[in-house]
Amino acid sequence: MKLAIITHVAHIPKGSTYFGYSAYVREMNLWGKFASQLLIAAPKIQEEVSKIHLSYDHEQISLTHIPQISFTSLGQGIRSLVIWPWIAFRMWQVMRRADHIHLRCPGTLGLIGCLVQVCFPKKSKTAKYAGNWDPKAQQPFSYRLQKWLLSNTFLTKNMQVLVYGEWPNQSKNILPFFTATYRNEKIETLQARNFDAPLRFLFAGNLTTGKRPEYVMELVARLVQSGISCTLDFYGDGVQMDKLKERMLALQASGWVTLHGNETAEVVEKAYRSSHFLVLPSKSEGWPKVVAEAMFWGCIPVATSISCVPWMLGDGDRGVLLDLDLEADAKQLSQLVSNKERLRKLSKEAQDWSKAYTLDRFEDEIKKLLS
């Protein structure tokens, strides 16, 4: 089977294969198990491979380069309007050759893919909508347009749309889905953690404004200032790194904050195992993998109430939902950390829930979709 993949993820050519963002490539390697050939339409870039990249594990890959486009400035907007028909044609060429079409949404290239797939009503198709599917969420017009196109069974035929969470009043082609990181073999019986001081907090992800890493530092700083012994480790890199360094100096936090930068999945896994809390006050998420990964190891998630996160956290039975009010959130955590029995229960409930969402189950579900 020839599997066409339409994605905005940048691909780095190295020898006879391609590298990309590790979480994405790790998932696509599972899809690739059931395909004889991968026909990828994606941006191709020339840069060094780093710790956050992973290579495709497939012998038959054909990459069609399509450039990234955006409308964030006048110049970019004019350029995008000029070249988008050419991009659409390139996608059409890839889809025409495929037995199954797989779209990665949302995104500008994903939107073009949603339009082009209309030309192939008889081909089997899937779309992975990795953003927030909540119908009430405030989102850019391009995201709302993609959701409308994917849900419209008159224009979008023979497609299953994989979304995070269960939402009311959806069209028949919308399928609640999930993502995963760990195999069944990694499931282990977790001994009850002792939540003795210092309490170990963790942030994992890109250091961008959307992830609000500064809020994490400010929140843990409130706990430290109230006399609670804490440490905070940041794993990831991004445009907020310099601001975090500046804030560390202002808070005199070098004794309890560590900025690790990008690290391998193995290093981050060890951090989950040894940390008490993962904090993720994101502005937007689909299925936040770091939350599910932390829960797998009994690390209590502390996250914003967006997308399917409240469902993941059992509305507070498996983690802590943030109000994004420093005083209120610090008070909530201060009260929680004094109750060790409650902490152990949250940790166990988090791990028990996450055991249902493994790579083995994920792979089985993909096989069903492609069969």
Side-chain angles (χ1 to χ4, degrees):
M1 182 188 70
K2 295 180 180 180
L3 174 63
I5 302 169
I6 312 299
T7 177
H8 66 274
V9 173
H11 287 56
I12 306 171
K14 294 291 178 183
S16 60
T17 190
Y18 295 91
F19 285 77
Y21 180 57
S22 60
Y24 160 80
V25 174
R26 191 175 291 112
E27 178 180 331
M28 296 323 300
N29 280 338
L30 296 179
W31 290 81
K33 282 187 175 184
F34 309 105
S36 59
Q37 187 175 359
L38 300 182
L39 309 175
I40 304 171
K44 182 169 66 174
I45 60 173
Q46 298 291 336
E47 67 174 45
E48 291 302 313
V49 172
S50 71
K51 294 178 180 178
I52 65 171
H53 295 116
L54 187 69
S55 65
Y56 278 87
D57 184 20
H58 204 286
E59 294 183 355
Q60 297 294 324
I61 298 176
S62 172
L63 178 67
T64 297
H65 170 65
I66 50 175
Q68 285 281 20
I69 59 175
S70 72
F71 294 88
T72 55
S73 68
L74 179 60
Q76 285 288 337
I78 294 172
R79 173 182 174 273
S80 299
L81 287 173
V82 169
I83 68 172
W84 87 263
W86 176 75
I87 292 174
F89 176 68
R90 299 277 278 178
M91 289 184 182
W92 181 86
Q93 288 180 310
V94 172
M95 293 184 190
R96 182 175 59 86
R97 297 163 54 200
D99 300 307
H100 183 97
I101 298 166
H102 181 62
L103 305 182
R104 305 296 293 192
C105 300
T108 310
L109 294 180
L111 174 56
I112 298 175
C114 288
L115 294 169
V116 177
Q117 62 81 26
V118 175
C119 301
F120 302 94
K122 294 183 179 181
K123 291 200 176 191
S124 66
K125 291 169 280 187
T126 49
K128 174 74 174 288
Y129 193 90
N132 184 357
W133 192 262
D134 185 352
K136 297 179 181 179
Q138 298 295 316
Q139 295 179 322
F141 172 74
S142 63
Y143 283 30
R144 287 183 279 121
L145 180 56
Q146 284 171 75
K147 291 164 79 169
W148 179 81
L149 284 168
L150 292 172
S151 301
N152 189 314
T153 54
F154 176 76
L155 293 173
T156 299
K157 297 183 182 298
N158 207 22
M159 177 183 280
Q160 289 182 286
V161 184
L162 316 179
V163 307
Y164 297 137
E166 297 184 18
W167 309 100
N169 305 317
Q170 298 298 303
S171 55
K172 62 183 181 181
N173 67 334
I174 304 303
L175 179 65
F177 215 65
F178 65 99
T179 191
T181 302
Y182 302 118
R183 290 282 180 187
N184 286 344
E185 64 192 33
K186 284 211 169 188
I187 294 176
E188 58 186 43
T189 302
L190 184 73
Q191 295 182 349
R193 295 196 182 199
N194 74 47
F195 284 85
D196 296 336
L199 294 173
R200 297 185 293 277
F201 288 80
L202 165 73
F203 173 94
N206 294 325
L207 302 181
T208 61
T209 54
K211 299 290 184 181
R212 295 191 178 105
E214 275 193 281
Y215 189 87
V216 180
M217 189 179 294
E218 296 291 348
L219 180 59
V220 178
R222 296 295 176 100
L223 301 182
V224 172
Q225 290 161 5
S226 68
I228 300 172
S229 179
C230 304
T231 64
L232 172 59
D233 292 274
F234 285 91
Y235 289 89
D237 204 347
V239 296
Q240 292 287 298
M241 178 64 84
D242 289 339
K243 286 189 176 181
L244 288 179
K245 290 178 179 178
E246 292 173 7
R247 198 65 192 134
M248 274 183 67
L249 291 174
L251 293 170
Q252 298 181 331
S254 59
W256 53 271
V257 174
T258 305
L259 304 174
H260 296 271
N262 287 328
E263 280 294 353
T264 62
E266 291 74 22
V267 171
V268 177
E269 179 185 315
K270 289 179 181 178
Y272 291 140
R273 287 172 175 264
S274 62
S275 298
H276 296 118
F277 301 93
L278 169 94
V279 189
L280 187 69
S282 294
K283 293 181 180 179
S284 180
E285 287 289 348
W287 173 289
K289 288 189 72 174
V290 294
V291 168
E293 289 169 358
M295 293 171 77
F296 192 89
W297 302 111
C299 180
I300 298 171
V302 181
T304 36
S305 183
I306 51 172
S307 186
C308 63
V309 172
W311 170 76
M312 295 175 74
L313 273 56
D315 291 319
D317 290 336
R318 295 185 285 267
V320 179
L321 293 169
L322 293 169
D323 294 324
L324 292 179
D325 178 300
L326 269 176
E327 294 297 335
D329 290 336
K331 182 179 180 181
Q332 180 183 196
L333 284 176
S334 296
Q335 293 173 344
L336 176 62
V337 299
S338 64
N339 187 342
K340 292 186 179 181
E341 183 178 346
R342 173 69 174 155
L343 292 174
R344 284 191 286 268
K345 186 175 187 300
L346 287 172
S347 175
K348 184 178 185 304
E349 291 288 337
Q351 192 188 47
D352 287 346
W353 175 86
S354 66
K355 289 177 181 178
Y357 301 98
T358 62
L359 281 174
D360 299 82
R361 179 184 170 189
F362 188 66
E363 190 172 317
D364 287 343
E365 296 297 328
I366 292 172
K367 184 177 182 180
K368 293 175 186 176
L369 291 168
L370 294 178
S371 64

